[in-house]
Amino acid sequence: QVQVVQSGAEVKKPGASVKVSCKTSGYNFPDYGISWVRQAPGQGLEWMGWISAYYGDTHYAQKLQGRVTLTTDTSTSTAYMELRSLRSDDTAVYYCVREGGDSTSYYFLYWGQGSLVTVSS
Amino acid sequence: DIQMTQSPSSLSASVGDRVSITCRASQSISRSLNWYQQTPGKAPRLLIFAASTLQSGVPSRFSGSGSGTDFTLTISSLQPEDFATYYCQQSYSTSKTFGQGTKVEIK
């Protein structure tokens, strides 16, 4: 079965960077893209970006352009999200999500358990 | 970016009620619309994709409809486990935006 397991909670100071990992198993890693979605406390879901696990192409949310980088390591079936220049409003649960679907329809099918990132001085 | 607007933001309903949530896109997204359910402390769960296709394992009381800019999620008979927050999400563009969510609470 497909599994998506993320790294643990982090506490960072403003201005620092954080890198969250997302280890997948149970499917052929290059076959599906990975998106990252975050959720600030008590708020809704915010799509951050997407990476093709096959080609490595990326698309980022406009508001995070320049601060976020998505990467993958196909040898370990792991995806990574790095966010730089952290601010207090980056405090959120960060989810890694494996896509489902095909060229006619994409959706977020397998979600990681979430990684809480707290930004505080 | 395509903006997704859900209504209402919250609603109160009783077990057994029929509930509908609407989602409007700022431009046509064909049928590239997905619905998710989230309970507190948990990751979201896919309910419906491509506007009306029920994800495997999701109860048949959930249904989706719509195309273009206007979409609806309907729960035909609300069950205790359905009290949660529901999100729509468009997959038409490369920036896959979510609606702001609709919280379904117990009346």
Side-chain angles (χ1 to χ4, degrees):
Chain A
Q1 73 282 22
V2 175
Q3 291 194 311
V4 180
V5 180
Q6 299 179 221
S7 50
E10 304 252 18
V11 179
K12 297 291 183 181
K13 294 196 182 304
S17 299
V18 68
K19 192 169 187 177
V20 179
S21 68
C22 168
K23 182 160 179 60
T24 70
S25 60
Y27 71 99
N28 189 36
F29 185 71
D31 285 352
Y32 294 92
I34 297 276
S35 275
W36 289 83
V37 175
R38 70 178 181 178
Q39 186 170 37
Q43 302 302 307
L45 303 170
E46 178 185 15
W47 178 81
M48 300 177 65
W50 168 90
I51 183 166
S52 163
Y54 189 86
Y55 296 108
D57 310 27
T58 52
H59 296 294
Y60 298 120
Q62 193 167 7
K63 95 177 246 192
L64 295 173
Q65 280 274 2
R67 287 208 300 138
V68 65
T69 300
L70 302 184
T71 56
T72 59
D73 180 345
T74 54
S75 69
T76 60
S77 300
T78 302
Y80 299 91
M81 184 283 298
E82 182 180 31
L83 188 61
R84 300 176 293 279
S85 303
L86 289 168
R87 310 188 290 244
S88 58
D89 62 357
D90 291 319
T91 294
V93 174
Y94 288 76
Y95 292 104
C96 166
V97 196
R98 200 215 83 174
E99 283 184 336
D102 54 30
S103 58
T104 63
S105 175
Y106 289 104
Y107 41 85
F108 299 147
L109 184 54
Y110 296 103
W111 294 70
Q113 81 277 20
S115 301
L116 176 62
V117 175
T118 303
V119 182
S120 173
S121 55
Chain B
D1 286 0
I2 299 174
Q3 307 303 315
M4 307 300 295
T5 304
Q6 288 181 234
S7 61
S9 296
S10 65
L11 65 90
S12 295
S14 301
V15 172
D17 283 353
R18 181 182 180 90
V19 166
S20 290
I21 298 167
T22 63
C23 179
R24 176 164 289 174
S26 60
Q27 67 182 73
S28 177
I29 58 170
S30 185
R31 292 178 60 81
S32 300
L33 192 283
N34 308 314
W35 290 97
Y36 302 86
Q37 176 195 62
Q38 187 181 34
T39 53
K42 297 285 186 66
R45 166 198 180 199
L46 177 68
L47 296 177
I48 287 169
F49 62 92
S52 61
T53 303
L54 201 65
Q55 168 62 11
S56 174
V58 174
S60 59
R61 62 181 179 272
F62 291 93
S63 64
S65 64
S67 66
T69 61
D70 293 316
F71 301 87
T72 302
L73 172 70
T74 299
I75 309 172
S76 60
S77 177
L78 204 60
Q79 298 302 300
E81 60 268 30
D82 300 338
F83 292 95
T85 301
Y86 294 85
Y87 295 92
C88 63
Q89 174 250 328
Q90 62 82 15
S91 58
Y92 185 82
S93 74
T94 53
S95 292
K96 296 173 174 47
T97 43
F98 288 91
Q100 81 278 16
T102 296
K103 187 172 184 179
V104 177
E105 299 175 298
I106 302 172
K107 183 184 283 185

